[in-house]
């Protein structure tokens, strides 16, 4: 599984665990909910700043994001 797929799954899991909608997270991060949908589906790779903001907002543990071989 790629890092992008792992990150997408973790963003979705963490958001739902916190009881947040895609719209709430997108508004907080000043992005469109459609962009967040693409990220959660693993269809788009967020930039570094957005990745760090998602990690901080959702409390994602970045240590589990290594690519499997």
């Amino acid at each position: 599984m790629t890092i992008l797929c792992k990150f997408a799954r973790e963003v979705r899991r963490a958001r739902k665990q916190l009881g947040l909608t895609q719209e709430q997270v997108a508004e907080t991060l000043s992005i469109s909910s459609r962009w967040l949908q693409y990220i959660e589906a693993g269809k788009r790779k967020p930039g570094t700043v957005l990745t760090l903001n998602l990690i901080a907002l959702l409390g994602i543990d970045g240590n589990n994001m290594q690519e499997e071989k």
Side-chain angles (χ1 to χ4, degrees):
M1 180 179 295
T2 67
I3 294 172
L4 181 59
C5 289
K6 281 185 172 185
F7 184 70
R9 185 185 318 168
E10 189 62 18
V11 168
R12 185 173 34 257
R13 184 206 59 78
R15 176 184 59 76
K16 288 182 176 185
Q17 185 175 357
L18 292 170
L20 298 171
T21 65
Q22 288 179 330
E23 291 77 17
Q24 290 170 318
V25 171
E27 184 176 328
T28 300
L29 297 175
S30 299
I31 61 173
S32 71
S33 58
R34 187 72 171 158
W35 181 239
L36 184 58
Q37 288 172 3
Y38 285 139
I39 292 169
E40 287 189 2
K43 294 180 179 179
R44 296 289 190 271
K45 179 181 173 185
T48 303
V49 173
L50 180 53
T51 298
L52 293 174
N53 288 340
L54 282 164
I55 289 170
L57 177 67
L58 300 175
I60 294 172
D61 181 5
N63 293 324
N64 297 331
M65 295 296 118
Q66 294 181 359
E67 191 168 352
E68 294 175 5
K69 295 185 179 190

